[in-house]
Amino acid sequence: MEQSDLCPRLQKGMDLIGKRWIGLIIYQLLAGPQRFCAVQAALPISGRLLSERFKDLENEGIVTRVVYPEIPVRIEYSLTEKGRALEPVVREIQRWSQDWIQIEQAVVSSE
Amino acid sequence: MEQSDLCPRLQKGMDLIGKRWIGLIIYQLLAGPQRFCAVQAALPISGRLLSERFKDLENEGIVTRVVYPEIPVRIEYSLTEKGRALEPVVREIQRWSQDWIQIEQAVVSSE
DNA sequence: AACCTTCGTTACTATTAGTAACTAATTATA
DNA sequence: TATAATTAGTTACTAATAGTAACGAAGGTT
């Protein structure tokens, strides 16, 4: 494993979106800032991993975390400009999925 | 982990491209049909995983595997129509990476 | 006091990734 | 004839990541 002239930026970008849950988390946040439990409710992801992913995304400058010291504390996650710039990527994945992925229906009986 | 009304197609699509190496393998094959060792030489991926990923991609109908019984056997992997349809996704990831990812340069000294 | 909510963390198991050595078929080289 | 080389993998093993479940802290409510 010692190559190559592969563009290191593309490599980093692919590593980022080629990581479980990242795409769907960004898709969720494209709908607007959301709190932890809202994202968790929208996706089949556990709290442990969501917490880990939010930290990664903060470190990458894709997501910001804002604390509102309210009744029970409210913490909102939202996309930065860098994060919103991923919208075309998500849109293209969405389009491809609609065009090329079919859902297999459970068939009860053909009688 | 029991939700939601998330589109199952998008979920499947995200699962697919949100898997390590998949994006870069497709990026490589967009340059044209290639043999196993060429893809391996172009990416920092081991034979074991590349073999596994090609099998997955064949099962998904994204890649086809053609055997040419030549001098040493030649086996070429290429994208199907479904695979080529991922080009816009790859292009958008490429564009985003160019725009938003910077490479940290190693600095020897500032003297 | 006992319980609820939100936003996590900790501890543990299961799955996936990475590394290295090996195989089979054929061909080239010493 | 043995030795090595190439292609396309596989096998065996270790390391890293994901998934599950239970717990914790900081408040508020009953």
Side-chain angles (χ1 to χ4, degrees):
Chain A
M1 294 224 303
E2 15 52 9
Q3 63 300 330
S4 72
D5 48 327
L6 181 61
C7 169
R9 279 188 236 240
L10 178 61
Q11 211 173 154
K12 254 199 101 182
M14 284 289 192
D15 254 38
L16 209 145
I17 74 102
K19 193 155 197 184
R20 194 133 206 230
W21 303 116
I22 291 288
L24 286 173
I25 291 170
I26 289 163
Y27 168 77
Q28 273 300 310
L29 292 185
L30 279 170
Q34 276 166 76
R35 47 206 307 187
F36 192 92
C37 62
V39 178
Q40 196 179 358
L43 305 176
I45 189 179
S46 69
R48 180 185 147 324
L49 274 192
L50 184 55
S51 169
E52 204 172 291
R53 287 300 182 270
F54 272 142
K55 277 181 208 156
D56 294 347
L57 288 169
E58 262 197 279
N59 288 338
E60 295 289 342
I62 290 170
V63 158
T64 46
R65 179 182 187 272
V66 179
V67 181
Y68 298 89
E70 290 179 1
I71 343 297
V73 71
R74 181 164 59 104
I75 292 169
E76 275 197 351
Y77 293 89
S78 51
L79 295 174
T80 62
E81 202 194 337
K82 183 174 176 182
R84 281 190 303 274
L86 281 165
E87 181 161 6
V89 173
V90 172
R91 294 282 162 258
E92 289 297 340
I93 294 169
Q94 208 169 11
R95 185 208 304 263
W96 182 85
S97 301
Q98 293 305 320
D99 290 351
W100 291 97
I101 292 176
Q102 78 297 350
I103 306 304
E104 67 295 326
Q105 212 83 15
V107 178
V108 177
S109 168
S110 51
E111 237 187 295
Chain B
M1 294 225 301
E2 16 50 11
Q3 61 303 329
S4 69
D5 49 327
L6 182 62
C7 169
R9 279 187 235 241
L10 178 62
Q11 209 171 158
K12 254 200 100 178
M14 284 290 190
D15 254 38
L16 209 144
I17 74 102
K19 194 157 195 184
R20 193 132 208 231
W21 302 117
I22 291 289
L24 286 172
I25 291 169
I26 289 163
Y27 168 77
Q28 274 300 310
L29 292 185
L30 280 170
Q34 277 167 74
R35 49 206 306 187
F36 192 92
C37 63
V39 178
Q40 197 178 358
L43 306 176
I45 189 178
S46 69
R48 179 184 145 328
L49 273 190
L50 184 55
S51 169
E52 204 171 292
R53 288 300 183 268
F54 272 142
K55 277 181 208 157
D56 293 347
L57 289 169
E58 262 197 279
N59 288 338
E60 295 288 343
I62 290 170
V63 158
T64 45
R65 179 183 186 271
V66 179
V67 181
Y68 298 89
E70 290 179 1
I71 340 301
V73 71
R74 181 162 60 101
I75 291 168
E76 275 197 350
Y77 293 89
S78 52
L79 295 174
T80 61
E81 200 194 338
K82 182 175 177 182
R84 282 191 303 276
L86 281 165
E87 181 161 6
V89 173
V90 173
R91 294 282 162 258
E92 289 297 340
I93 294 169
Q94 209 169 9
R95 186 208 304 262
W96 182 84
S97 301
Q98 293 306 320
D99 290 350
W100 292 96
I101 292 176
Q102 79 296 355
I103 304 304
E104 67 295 329
Q105 212 84 14
V107 177
V108 177
S109 167
S110 51
E111 237 188 294

